[in-house]
Amino acid sequence: MRFKVHKNVLLENVQITSGVIPVRHTVYLVSFMLIEADSSLGKITLSGTDLETSITNSFQCEVTESGSLTVPGKKFNELLRELPDESIEIYTEENNMIIKCKKDHIILKGQPRDDFPVLPKVKKDNVIMLDQNVFRDLIRKINYAAPIDDSRQCLNGGYLHIVGKELKFVATDGHRLALAKTEIEIGIKDETGIIIPVKTLSELLRIIKGEAEVVISFSSNQISFEMDSIILISRLIEEKYPNYAQVIPQKQDHIAVVDRAELLAETRRIALLVSERGYSVKYKFENRMLFLYSTSPDIGEGTAELAIEYEGEEVQIVLNALYMLDVVKNIETESIEIHFSNKLSPVVIKPVGKDDYLCLIMPMRQ
């Protein structure tokens, strides 16, 4: 294997692939990156995996000799970051990778390709296509509500629920729930629901940067995402997702309309004075006013007030301030609607004038 490429081009592509590679793993070569060079196509293909998720990424460059080798993924990434912004030459001698750049001459010990884990292939039982920006936006709006290591395995991911041409993306940790939806041009014949692990969603947020479509293919236990020159494949969580629709109130007694930027700013300030145990903040709704109040015996206390659109009885609700911040940060309209009935009923927050996103937060007991 022998090829020439600018350091920044190689580094950018290595960083895409190295995200899934663990520093250490019980299977030794899982911490390695597979590098394949094809001189007939002038193409380099990089692959990495943690046995649950894998990424394959290709790019064009000057390839004079085909071949392949695996090298420690994280170490290769670190070495490239420290090289000068110049063209580099890479070639192999037996199981060693030689990296030449200006005055630098680096030998990185590798392993043969044959010892690298076999990368999975997904049966394309179901295929949908989405604009990359739309898909990234869907993930961003729900990913924060999914736990990473909940004992209930079914919650450790985002639930992709497709009914005809309507696609809903849901995440919940039992204390809050986020739901984003969109329309797809070509639907799935039968109603379908799959759970995509949180780690996979986080990787997608990291690598989706293009303007074209992402092709999503999935079977009963695996899913693939093809975008530009990148393919990400992940195992699915093979559990039954809770009936999320049951916990979303169809009608509530009160609706308050609040300026999004003002609510975000005041909640951020008040959250600085709350205990890290619960991050509890009191939200008191009165005629045309919203009062925020927090107190902590170790830190202090604070109050804030906002003018809002609300006419009704006084209602005081205690909410986790961090949950509120997560929601408000992910809404893009100037104003938001806050739906509630009483101090113990779920609070539903939506963008004004749009029905493609909502978040539910369960109140805390006072």
Side-chain angles (χ1 to χ4, degrees):
M1 174 172 70
R2 185 183 290 268
F3 62 92
K4 288 183 180 180
V5 65
H6 195 280
K7 169 250 180 153
N8 291 337
V9 173
L10 181 58
L11 177 61
E12 179 182 357
N13 286 278
V14 166
Q15 287 177 333
I16 289 171
T17 307
S18 64
V20 298
I21 300 174
V23 177
R24 295 181 184 82
H25 197 279
T26 52
V27 179
Y28 176 56
L29 281 187
V30 169
S31 61
F32 279 53
M33 179 181 295
L34 172 62
I35 304 171
E36 299 172 286
D38 188 327
S39 59
S40 63
L41 298 176
K43 183 173 75 171
I44 299 296
T45 301
L46 309 174
S47 301
T49 183
D50 63 0
L51 301 184
E52 296 286 333
T53 309
S54 64
I55 293 179
T56 298
N57 183 35
S58 303
F59 62 95
Q60 302 294 133
C61 72
E62 181 186 340
V63 182
T64 53
E65 185 179 332
S66 297
S68 60
L69 188 70
T70 68
V71 294
K74 300 296 185 185
K75 187 59 66 177
F76 186 40
N77 188 18
E78 291 169 1
L79 282 169
L80 288 175
R81 282 205 309 263
E82 298 304 321
L83 290 176
D85 295 344
E86 300 282 346
S87 178
I88 61 177
E89 182 179 16
I90 291 180
Y91 58 93
T92 55
E93 291 180 351
E94 296 183 344
N95 289 331
N96 293 327
M97 171 182 280
I98 316 300
I99 305 171
K100 295 178 71 175
C101 181
K102 282 192 122 179
K103 298 178 181 178
D104 294 289
H105 185 278
I106 298 167
I107 300 175
L108 187 61
K109 292 188 177 295
Q111 295 290 334
R113 183 198 192 287
D114 295 343
D115 297 330
F116 192 75
V118 177
L119 297 174
K121 293 183 178 180
V122 176
K123 289 176 62 179
K124 299 186 177 182
D125 297 337
N126 301 282
V127 179
I128 60 173
M129 291 180 287
L130 280 171
D131 178 273
Q132 288 188 38
N133 288 324
V134 171
F135 187 49
R136 191 180 196 282
D137 195 49
L138 289 172
I139 298 172
R140 175 182 62 81
K141 286 180 174 178
I142 65 104
N143 200 40
Y144 64 84
I148 297 175
D149 55 1
D150 196 288
S151 59
R152 297 160 293 180
Q153 182 68 7
C154 63
L155 299 186
N156 293 328
Y159 182 57
L160 195 66
H161 186 198
I162 305 169
V163 183
K165 292 187 177 182
E166 184 177 59
L167 182 151
K168 296 180 181 179
F169 219 171
V170 185
T172 181
D173 60 7
H175 302 288
R176 55 181 170 171
L177 178 148
L179 184 155
K181 59 184 179 180
T182 190
E183 295 288 321
I184 52 179
E185 289 187 11
I186 302 175
I188 300 295
K189 183 179 179 181
D190 300 317
E191 180 177 347
T192 302
I194 55 174
I195 308 173
I196 306 170
V198 172
K199 180 179 178 181
T200 302
L201 297 178
S202 297
E203 283 299 314
L204 287 166
L205 278 178
R206 186 179 65 85
I207 65 177
I208 294 177
K209 295 176 181 175
E211 299 292 333
E213 288 186 316
V214 52
V215 179
I216 305 171
S217 312
F218 57 93
S219 61
S220 61
N221 62 353
Q222 286 188 319
I223 188 166
S224 74
F225 306 88
E226 299 181 44
M227 58 210 116
D228 303 319
S229 60
I230 305 170
I231 301 175
L232 185 151
I233 297 176
S234 169
R235 288 184 183 175
L236 295 171
I237 297 175
E238 297 179 69
E239 299 276 345
K240 183 175 176 60
Y241 203 74
N243 186 345
Y244 63 88
Q246 283 187 339
V247 303
I248 302 173
Q250 296 303 304
K251 185 178 180 182
Q252 288 170 293
D253 297 337
H254 307 292
I255 301 176
V257 178
V258 185
D259 183 275
R260 188 197 74 87
E262 289 184 6
L263 181 61
L264 179 63
E266 296 298 350
T267 299
R268 273 180 173 155
R269 281 192 278 268
I270 291 297
L272 296 173
L273 298 168
V274 300
S275 165
E276 293 184 6
R277 259 184 100 177
Y279 289 102
S280 61
V281 169
K282 293 179 183 178
Y283 292 80
K284 185 170 72 170
F285 297 85
E286 293 184 1
N287 276 332
R288 298 185 179 141
M289 294 298 297
L290 170 60
F291 296 91
L292 285 67
Y293 175 69
S294 67
T295 182
S296 168
D298 300 324
I299 303 172
E301 62 182 57
T303 59
E305 59 184 62
L306 298 173
I308 63 173
E309 294 179 30
Y310 173 72
E311 294 181 4
E313 64 186 44
E314 179 183 312
V315 179
Q316 182 171 279
I317 307 171
V318 180
L319 298 172
N320 184 309
L322 298 188
Y323 291 177
M324 178 64 84
L325 288 173
D326 280 337
V327 179
V328 178
K329 284 188 294 187
N330 282 285
I331 291 179
E332 295 162 347
T333 54
E334 290 185 5
S335 300
I336 63 174
E337 293 179 355
I338 302 177
H339 298 241
F340 55 93
S341 289
N342 56 61
K343 65 179 182 180
L344 295 179
S345 66
V347 174
V348 174
I349 304 167
K350 302 176 180 179
V352 168
K354 302 181 103 179
D355 63 355
D356 59 354
Y357 181 55
L358 69 81
C359 185
L360 178 150
I361 303 176
M362 295 302 298
M364 305 169 73
R365 292 192 177 272
Q366 299 182 42

